[in-house]
Amino acid sequence: MTEGKTYTVVDEWCNGFLRGLNLWEPLAATDATLTEQCVRPMRLFATEAGFKKLDAMNEDDLVTQQQLIEPAVRRLFQHFLKQRKQALEPVTRETPKVGRNDPCPCGSGKKYKKCCLH
């Protein structure tokens, strides 16, 4: 709080978020495009090029840009959450599971545990 005004400081959070994104493996093209759209407001508060743009903004524009961060993060989270839920759906087998003591499906005549299990 300065001069009776409260300021929201997002620089460090944005910087940390972008550093975390750098740990991700390469994304599919559609995911990369969405991610880039969503992190655009954060780059403003975490890069030298963004700092220059922020210096040219008035206080109202600065607040408006800060308010774009949370919806962008939520959009990104929802996108990848949906993908995770799809990836966690149960897998159904077309053929029955082979037990350890069943004959090996390769036709060797051995038990599965002594043949192709390992």
Side-chain angles (χ1 to χ4, degrees):
M1 190 183 226
T2 306
E3 300 171 7
K5 289 185 176 182
T6 302
Y7 295 94
T8 303
V9 179
V10 298
D11 305 34
E12 293 299 321
W13 186 90
C14 290
N15 189 5
F17 189 87
L18 293 176
R19 289 178 65 200
L21 284 180
N22 288 332
L23 300 174
W24 289 8
E25 294 187 17
L27 298 172
T30 55
D31 292 339
T33 302
L34 175 71
T35 301
E36 188 53 41
Q37 289 172 358
C38 290
V39 300
R40 199 170 294 138
M42 290 167 249
R43 288 195 195 286
L44 199 57
F45 293 94
T47 63
E48 290 298 321
F51 295 149
K52 290 177 184 175
K53 291 178 184 177
L54 291 173
D55 287 340
M57 289 184 188
N58 63 37
E59 195 171 319
D60 291 336
D61 290 339
L62 184 81
V63 170
T64 300
Q65 291 301 315
Q66 287 176 333
Q67 291 172 344
L68 294 175
I69 295 169
E70 184 179 350
V73 172
R74 288 184 183 279
R75 181 177 175 210
L76 195 59
F77 175 78
Q78 289 299 324
H79 174 76
F80 286 106
L81 178 64
K82 183 177 160 185
Q83 287 184 1
R84 280 190 62 202
K85 285 181 179 178
Q86 289 172 349
L88 295 175
E89 290 179 0
V91 176
T92 52
R93 300 175 190 268
E94 293 181 16
T95 58
K97 184 176 178 180
V98 178
R100 292 174 38 89
N101 291 315
D102 293 340
C104 191
C106 75
S108 67
K110 297 179 181 180
K111 288 185 177 184
Y112 181 59
K113 69 181 177 184
K114 298 282 186 180
C115 189
C116 293
L117 178 61
H118 299 288

